[in-house]
Amino acid sequence: MELSLIESRLFGRICYGFKRDKYGFVEIVPEQAEVVKTIFRMYREENSLEDIQKYLLSCSISSPSGKAKWSRDVLNELLNNGKYTRGIIDFEEYCEVYF
């Protein structure tokens, strides 16, 4: 999925799961999008941030900054980022986690 030119310009800072193409359009990075979906699913299943950290570490999934271990702050920011409703998770899922 690729966002429109207007959506891409309004998107702002690129977060984990997205990238800009050579024309400046925002598009989804499929492998990272799956990680985002997993994080949201695990949190909705009442796993703690620490449980999610351990899972990501055991699967050797690097954090957005390339570190082996995800920080709880990064996970919390990800779970509270409404940009993920732009093609990675449903708005309902986001609301379920956010509220």
mmCIF file of all heavy atoms in Angstrom, residues 31-50:
data_model
loop_
_atom_site.group_PDB
_atom_site.id
_atom_site.type_symbol
_atom_site.label_atom_id
_atom_site.label_comp_id
_atom_site.label_asym_id
_atom_site.label_seq_id
_atom_site.Cartn_x
_atom_site.Cartn_y
_atom_site.Cartn_z
ATOM 1 N N GLU A 31 7.693 -6.682 5.954
ATOM 2 C CA GLU A 31 8.271 -7.444 7.069
ATOM 3 C C GLU A 31 8.098 -6.691 8.389
ATOM 4 O O GLU A 31 7.779 -7.283 9.414
ATOM 5 C CB GLU A 31 9.766 -7.703 6.831
ATOM 6 C CG GLU A 31 10.097 -8.430 5.545
ATOM 7 C CD GLU A 31 10.122 -7.511 4.314
ATOM 8 O OE1 GLU A 31 10.413 -6.305 4.436
ATOM 9 O OE2 GLU A 31 9.812 -8.024 3.229
ATOM 10 N N GLN A 32 8.324 -5.389 8.361
ATOM 11 C CA GLN A 32 8.174 -4.576 9.565
ATOM 12 C C GLN A 32 6.703 -4.445 9.947
ATOM 13 O O GLN A 32 6.368 -4.413 11.136
ATOM 14 C CB GLN A 32 8.801 -3.202 9.371
ATOM 15 C CG GLN A 32 10.307 -3.237 9.232
ATOM 16 C CD GLN A 32 10.913 -1.863 9.010
ATOM 17 O OE1 GLN A 32 10.218 -0.851 8.936
ATOM 18 N NE2 GLN A 32 12.230 -1.834 8.896
ATOM 19 N N ALA A 33 5.828 -4.370 8.959
ATOM 20 C CA ALA A 33 4.390 -4.283 9.233
ATOM 21 C C ALA A 33 3.905 -5.516 9.987
ATOM 22 O O ALA A 33 3.072 -5.419 10.893
ATOM 23 C CB ALA A 33 3.613 -4.117 7.930
ATOM 24 N N GLU A 34 4.451 -6.685 9.645
ATOM 25 C CA GLU A 34 4.089 -7.917 10.355
ATOM 26 C C GLU A 34 4.529 -7.846 11.817
ATOM 27 O O GLU A 34 3.824 -8.322 12.703
ATOM 28 C CB GLU A 34 4.679 -9.141 9.660
ATOM 29 C CG GLU A 34 3.994 -9.485 8.352
ATOM 30 C CD GLU A 34 2.486 -9.692 8.502
ATOM 31 O OE1 GLU A 34 2.057 -10.384 9.454
ATOM 32 O OE2 GLU A 34 1.745 -9.151 7.674
ATOM 33 N N VAL A 35 5.685 -7.254 12.075
ATOM 34 C CA VAL A 35 6.167 -7.092 13.447
ATOM 35 C C VAL A 35 5.222 -6.165 14.207
ATOM 36 O O VAL A 35 4.841 -6.446 15.352
ATOM 37 C CB VAL A 35 7.615 -6.542 13.476
ATOM 38 C CG1 VAL A 35 8.049 -6.221 14.896
ATOM 39 C CG2 VAL A 35 8.573 -7.532 12.832
ATOM 40 N N VAL A 36 4.816 -5.081 13.575
ATOM 41 C CA VAL A 36 3.875 -4.139 14.210
ATOM 42 C C VAL A 36 2.567 -4.845 14.540
ATOM 43 O O VAL A 36 2.036 -4.713 15.653
ATOM 44 C CB VAL A 36 3.626 -2.900 13.304
ATOM 45 C CG1 VAL A 36 2.496 -2.041 13.849
ATOM 46 C CG2 VAL A 36 4.906 -2.091 13.148
ATOM 47 N N LYS A 37 2.048 -5.619 13.604
ATOM 48 C CA LYS A 37 0.798 -6.363 13.845
ATOM 49 C C LYS A 37 0.954 -7.322 15.020
ATOM 50 O O LYS A 37 0.049 -7.452 15.846
ATOM 51 C CB LYS A 37 0.394 -7.142 12.594
ATOM 52 C CG LYS A 37 -0.097 -6.272 11.470
ATOM 53 C CD LYS A 37 -0.399 -7.122 10.244
ATOM 54 C CE LYS A 37 -0.787 -6.264 9.066
ATOM 55 N NZ LYS A 37 -1.042 -7.063 7.864
ATOM 56 N N THR A 38 2.103 -7.976 15.089
ATOM 57 C CA THR A 38 2.368 -8.921 16.183
ATOM 58 C C THR A 38 2.400 -8.195 17.523
ATOM 59 O O THR A 38 1.832 -8.679 18.508
ATOM 60 C CB THR A 38 3.703 -9.659 15.948
ATOM 61 O OG1 THR A 38 3.589 -10.401 14.731
ATOM 62 C CG2 THR A 38 4.046 -10.585 17.094
ATOM 63 N N ILE A 39 3.040 -7.042 17.568
ATOM 64 C CA ILE A 39 3.121 -6.270 18.810
ATOM 65 C C ILE A 39 1.725 -5.865 19.264
ATOM 66 O O ILE A 39 1.379 -6.021 20.443
ATOM 67 C CB ILE A 39 4.040 -5.041 18.624
ATOM 68 C CG1 ILE A 39 5.488 -5.499 18.445
ATOM 69 C CG2 ILE A 39 3.905 -4.067 19.796
ATOM 70 C CD1 ILE A 39 6.442 -4.412 17.992
ATOM 71 N N PHE A 40 0.906 -5.358 18.352
ATOM 72 C CA PHE A 40 -0.461 -4.968 18.709
ATOM 73 C C PHE A 40 -1.267 -6.180 19.164
ATOM 74 O O PHE A 40 -2.000 -6.113 20.155
ATOM 75 C CB PHE A 40 -1.157 -4.268 17.532
ATOM 76 C CG PHE A 40 -0.945 -2.785 17.502
ATOM 77 C CD1 PHE A 40 0.153 -2.248 16.853
ATOM 78 C CD2 PHE A 40 -1.828 -1.919 18.116
ATOM 79 C CE1 PHE A 40 0.363 -0.882 16.827
ATOM 80 C CE2 PHE A 40 -1.630 -0.552 18.096
ATOM 81 C CZ PHE A 40 -0.529 -0.025 17.451
ATOM 82 N N ARG A 41 -1.142 -7.300 18.443
ATOM 83 C CA ARG A 41 -1.896 -8.508 18.813
ATOM 84 C C ARG A 41 -1.506 -8.984 20.206
ATOM 85 O O ARG A 41 -2.362 -9.286 21.031
ATOM 86 C CB ARG A 41 -1.650 -9.631 17.791
ATOM 87 C CG ARG A 41 -2.378 -10.929 18.128
ATOM 88 C CD ARG A 41 -2.015 -12.062 17.181
ATOM 89 N NE ARG A 41 -0.607 -12.245 16.922
ATOM 90 C CZ ARG A 41 0.266 -12.796 17.784
ATOM 91 N NH1 ARG A 41 -0.139 -13.221 18.965
ATOM 92 N NH2 ARG A 41 1.535 -12.936 17.458
ATOM 93 N N MET A 42 -0.192 -9.034 20.455
ATOM 94 C CA MET A 42 0.272 -9.505 21.766
ATOM 95 C C MET A 42 -0.219 -8.592 22.885
ATOM 96 O O MET A 42 -0.624 -9.071 23.947
ATOM 97 C CB MET A 42 1.803 -9.597 21.786
ATOM 98 C CG MET A 42 2.352 -10.730 20.951
ATOM 99 S SD MET A 42 4.144 -10.842 21.028
ATOM 100 C CE MET A 42 4.359 -11.476 22.714
ATOM 101 N N TYR A 43 -0.204 -7.298 22.634
ATOM 102 C CA TYR A 43 -0.652 -6.359 23.669
ATOM 103 C C TYR A 43 -2.152 -6.508 23.916
ATOM 104 O O TYR A 43 -2.603 -6.483 25.054
ATOM 105 C CB TYR A 43 -0.302 -4.915 23.277
ATOM 106 C CG TYR A 43 -0.404 -3.967 24.435
ATOM 107 C CD1 TYR A 43 0.578 -3.934 25.423
ATOM 108 C CD2 TYR A 43 -1.482 -3.106 24.557
ATOM 109 C CE1 TYR A 43 0.488 -3.068 26.498
ATOM 110 C CE2 TYR A 43 -1.577 -2.233 25.625
ATOM 111 C CZ TYR A 43 -0.592 -2.222 26.590
ATOM 112 O OH TYR A 43 -0.698 -1.351 27.656
ATOM 113 N N ARG A 44 -2.918 -6.707 22.830
ATOM 114 C CA ARG A 44 -4.363 -6.914 22.990
ATOM 115 C C ARG A 44 -4.653 -8.220 23.723
ATOM 116 O O ARG A 44 -5.680 -8.345 24.389
ATOM 117 C CB ARG A 44 -5.053 -6.937 21.620
ATOM 118 C CG ARG A 44 -5.291 -5.566 21.048
ATOM 119 C CD ARG A 44 -6.237 -5.550 19.856
ATOM 120 N NE ARG A 44 -6.377 -6.781 19.124
ATOM 121 C CZ ARG A 44 -5.609 -7.161 18.097
ATOM 122 N NH1 ARG A 44 -4.634 -6.403 17.692
ATOM 123 N NH2 ARG A 44 -5.842 -8.299 17.478
ATOM 124 N N GLU A 45 -3.744 -9.196 23.617
ATOM 125 C CA GLU A 45 -3.900 -10.463 24.332
ATOM 126 C C GLU A 45 -3.376 -10.366 25.760
ATOM 127 O O GLU A 45 -3.164 -11.378 26.414
ATOM 128 C CB GLU A 45 -3.158 -11.566 23.569
ATOM 129 C CG GLU A 45 -3.800 -11.913 22.249
ATOM 130 C CD GLU A 45 -2.970 -12.860 21.399
ATOM 131 O OE1 GLU A 45 -1.812 -13.178 21.768
ATOM 132 O OE2 GLU A 45 -3.478 -13.281 20.344
ATOM 133 N N GLU A 46 -3.162 -9.144 26.215
ATOM 134 C CA GLU A 46 -2.767 -8.822 27.594
ATOM 135 C C GLU A 46 -1.352 -9.258 27.950
ATOM 136 O O GLU A 46 -1.055 -9.521 29.116
ATOM 137 C CB GLU A 46 -3.799 -9.360 28.581
ATOM 138 C CG GLU A 46 -5.170 -8.745 28.352
ATOM 139 C CD GLU A 46 -6.203 -9.188 29.366
ATOM 140 O OE1 GLU A 46 -5.852 -9.853 30.359
ATOM 141 O OE2 GLU A 46 -7.374 -8.854 29.149
ATOM 142 N N ASN A 47 -0.469 -9.317 26.963
ATOM 143 C CA ASN A 47 0.947 -9.512 27.244
ATOM 144 C C ASN A 47 1.516 -8.173 27.702
ATOM 145 O O ASN A 47 1.138 -7.121 27.188
ATOM 146 C CB ASN A 47 1.700 -9.967 25.989
ATOM 147 C CG ASN A 47 1.393 -11.400 25.644
ATOM 148 O OD1 ASN A 47 1.904 -12.304 26.283
ATOM 149 N ND2 ASN A 47 0.560 -11.607 24.635
ATOM 150 N N SER A 48 2.420 -8.205 28.640
ATOM 151 C CA SER A 48 3.059 -6.979 29.115
ATOM 152 C C SER A 48 4.108 -6.524 28.105
ATOM 153 O O SER A 48 4.506 -7.292 27.211
ATOM 154 C CB SER A 48 3.729 -7.219 30.470
ATOM 155 O OG SER A 48 4.838 -8.082 30.306
ATOM 156 N N LEU A 49 4.565 -5.286 28.244
ATOM 157 C CA LEU A 49 5.630 -4.792 27.382
ATOM 158 C C LEU A 49 6.885 -5.646 27.544
ATOM 159 O O LEU A 49 7.595 -5.912 26.580
ATOM 160 C CB LEU A 49 5.937 -3.317 27.675
ATOM 161 C CG LEU A 49 4.805 -2.327 27.363
ATOM 162 C CD1 LEU A 49 5.230 -0.919 27.719
ATOM 163 C CD2 LEU A 49 4.386 -2.408 25.905
ATOM 164 N N GLU A 50 7.132 -6.108 28.766
ATOM 165 C CA GLU A 50 8.288 -6.975 29.016
ATOM 166 C C GLU A 50 8.144 -8.308 28.280
ATOM 167 O O GLU A 50 9.116 -8.816 27.712
ATOM 168 C CB GLU A 50 8.452 -7.207 30.510
ATOM 169 C CG GLU A 50 9.723 -7.943 30.858
ATOM 170 C CD GLU A 50 9.931 -8.078 32.358
ATOM 171 O OE1 GLU A 50 9.320 -7.327 33.135
ATOM 172 O OE2 GLU A 50 10.725 -8.962 32.732
#
